[in-house]
Amino acid sequence: MGIIVKSPRELEGMRKAGKITAAILDTLRSEVRPGITTSMLDDVAVRELERHGAVSSFKGYRGYPNSVCASINEQLVHGIPGERKLKEGDIISIDFASVYEGFHGDAAFTVGVGEISAEAERLLATTEGALKAGISAAREGAHLGDISAAIQEYGESREFSVVREYVGHGIGREMHEDPQIPNFGSPGQGPVLKRGMTMALEPMVNAGGWRTKVLPDQWTVVTADGSLSAHFENSIAIAGDQAEILTLL
Ligand code: MF3
Ligand code: CO
């Protein structure tokens, strides 16, 4: 299919979808507290989608049953909402995407439930820093590998490991477009970034090793060694020296 460069009008559409995704994620963040179940968080997302006139990008995607992915502690992505209650000291990754007037916006964050350990705090800060490092490398004229390398370098600088089996992706009229964007790689490799390319960068960083496995529910991905994992994601547009973050409030 190749990498799709968006026109100014398409970028307008991407901005609208990105803003709705950011607003709903902000609401979800404010709902995180001890005692809430992940299915209650999903209910909030469904209600907010309706209020914005948007639709979930996830629900029905390859049979995925819900509107958000909610992944707790050693779960890194694709956790299915259910009756488990969040408790003080947990970390939760909420991944959410919406489609509005034909364009997708995809973003995620990890947040602590009440007080969390110093190591968990460091993991969250490192993963968010890795995402920011990737965004900083996403300049017109740079190579895709520059983004991957920046994310990897930041993630591994604190003796954590970056997940290899799950990657970022192009985004637009489809939630997943070319190219795939690994969270590890070499500078100078891969396609040159052009103004108007839109992509979702989404590093997952583990406190232990990078290996993962999928639970018997066929969706929930956990760290192979049971260590904590965090996930931060933004959709961005390549725009000269500094990428535009589409999934900002
Ligand atoms: N945000 C994730 C991604 O970009 C989640 C998609 S999985 C889904 O791949 F099934 F929930 F849609
Ligand atoms: Co994504």
Side-chain angles (χ1 to χ4, degrees):
M1 169 177 89
I3 304 176
I4 299 166
V5 173
K6 274 72 181 181
S7 69
R9 215 167 57 95
E10 288 173 316
L11 287 173
E12 263 317 302
M14 291 297 290
R15 287 185 188 105
K16 286 190 205 162
K19 280 210 188 320
I20 290 170
T21 292
I24 296 176
L25 270 173
D26 193 56
T27 302
L28 289 169
R29 180 193 294 272
S30 73
E31 295 288 338
V32 169
R33 58 176 169 271
I36 196 168
T37 67
T38 50
S39 101
M40 287 158 80
L41 292 171
D42 193 72
D43 291 344
V44 170
V46 169
R47 182 194 76 205
E48 290 296 301
L49 278 163
E50 196 167 289
R51 202 167 67 77
H52 283 94
V55 172
S56 166
S57 307
F58 292 177
K59 197 174 170 99
Y61 179 83
R62 299 191 180 185
Y64 187 74
N66 289 89
S67 296
V68 305
C69 296
S71 309
I72 304 169
N73 296 336
E74 79 287 356
Q75 302 174 355
L76 51 140
V77 278
H78 304 168
I80 300 177
E83 297 318 305
R84 180 171 173 178
K85 287 192 171 86
L86 299 183
K87 61 180 199 322
E88 177 99 14
D90 283 342
I91 60 171
I92 178 163
S93 302
I94 301 181
D95 188 352
F96 174 77
S98 61
V99 54
Y100 183 74
E101 292 179 351
F103 294 98
H104 293 260
D106 187 6
F109 62 83
T110 305
V111 67
V113 182
E115 285 272 302
I116 59 173
S117 69
E119 187 182 44
E121 289 283 11
R122 207 164 64 89
L123 179 68
L124 267 52
T126 301
T127 312
E128 191 169 20
L131 172 59
K132 290 198 169 125
I135 294 171
S136 296
R139 286 185 297 269
E140 184 180 27
H143 289 261
L144 193 66
D146 299 342
I147 298 177
S148 300
I151 290 172
Q152 179 178 20
E153 195 178 310
Y154 197 98
E156 292 179 350
S157 66
R158 325 283 179 91
E159 263 129 75
F160 293 138
S161 49
V162 298
V163 170
R164 296 178 178 237
E165 292 116 325
Y166 300 88
V167 299
H169 50 89
I171 185 168
R173 291 186 185 275
E174 304 288 340
M175 175 168 65
H176 292 148
E177 294 183 351
D178 285 343
Q180 292 197 356
I181 308 165
N183 295 306
F184 62 98
S186 308
Q189 300 289 299
V192 172
L193 304 175
K194 296 199 179 78
R195 198 179 277 262
M197 288 179 176
T198 47
M199 48 189 69
L201 307 186
E202 50 177 319
M204 286 143 258
V205 178
N206 297 346
W210 59 264
R211 284 177 202 282
T212 66
K213 61 184 187 193
V214 179
L215 294 186
D217 67 17
Q218 309 253 42
W219 279 104
T220 313
V221 183
V222 297
T223 56
D225 60 12
S227 65
L228 290 179
S229 185
H231 179 207
F232 283 82
E233 176 176 21
N234 271 139
S235 298
I236 66 168
I238 303 300
D241 269 355
Q242 211 177 336
E244 176 183 355
I245 301 176
L246 299 166
T247 41
L248 276 187
L249 280 178

